[in-house]
């Protein structure tokens, strides 16, 4: 019975950490409020859902993304992550730079949106 109580207490303590790590928290602190691209960033969507905004996206340097056989991948935190085809934004890239909108959870990193740049 003591083991059951201890297990229940540990589960109750760990639950908020697991739930918090699975949610995406917006970081729009107003820095981009006057940017002429803000409405465009706010409207970006992939087939997986809205991309949030420029503040939630991460600019990716050319060495940290590539394309092979028509599929993209991006290096995040030192590891390559495959970009699902549904996450690729196909409209013209007004920002010019490659961007990715990662969602980090307790189960790993997934890509909500990916916008390829020019790779120059």
């Amino acid at each position: 019975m003591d083991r059951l109580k201890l297990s229940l207490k540990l589960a109750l303590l760990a639950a908020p950490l697991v739930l918090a790590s699975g949610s995406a928290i917006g970081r729009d602190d107003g820095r981009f409020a006057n940017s002429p691209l803000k409405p465009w960033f706010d409207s970006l969507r992939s087939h997986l859902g809205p991309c949030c905004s420029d503040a939630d996206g991460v600019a990716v340097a050319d060495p940290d993304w590539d394309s092979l056989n028509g599929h993209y991948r991006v290096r995040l935190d030192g590891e390559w992550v495959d970009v699902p085809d549904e996450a690729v934004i196909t409209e013209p890239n007004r920002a010019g730079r490659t961007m990715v909108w990662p969602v980090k959870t307790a189960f790993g990193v997934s890509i909500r949106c990916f916008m390829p740049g020019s790779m120059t």
Side-chain angles (χ1 to χ4, degrees):
M1 191 61 141
D2 288 335
R3 288 178 116 183
L4 181 60
K5 286 182 182 178
L6 180 61
S7 295
L8 183 57
K9 285 181 182 179
L10 289 174
L12 289 173
L13 289 172
L17 295 174
V18 171
L19 293 174
S21 65
S23 63
I25 299 172
R27 298 181 308 255
D28 188 356
D29 58 8
R31 286 181 287 172
F32 303 104
N34 296 323
S35 169
L37 291 179
K38 183 174 180 4
W40 175 73
F41 273 111
D42 288 343
S43 72
L44 288 176
R45 301 179 62 82
S46 72
H47 291 290
L48 299 176
C51 301
C52 295
S53 68
D54 186 29
D56 295 316
V58 178
V60 181
D62 286 347
D64 292 327
W65 72 281
D66 65 13
S67 174
L68 180 64
N69 297 326
H71 301 282
Y72 294 103
R73 68 181 186 150
V74 61
R75 186 176 13 221
L76 297 170
D77 298 328
E79 293 191 30
W80 286 100
V81 178
D82 291 326
V83 174
D85 292 339
E86 304 84 44
V88 177
I89 297 172
T90 56
E91 71 178 79
N93 183 340
R94 294 185 194 176
R97 61 190 185 271
T98 302
M99 294 198 63
V100 64
W101 285 259
V103 177
K104 297 179 182 182
T105 68
F107 304 105
V109 176
S110 63
I111 305 298
R112 167 70 64 89
C113 299
F114 177 79
M115 186 170 50
S118 60
M119 205 173 206
T120 57

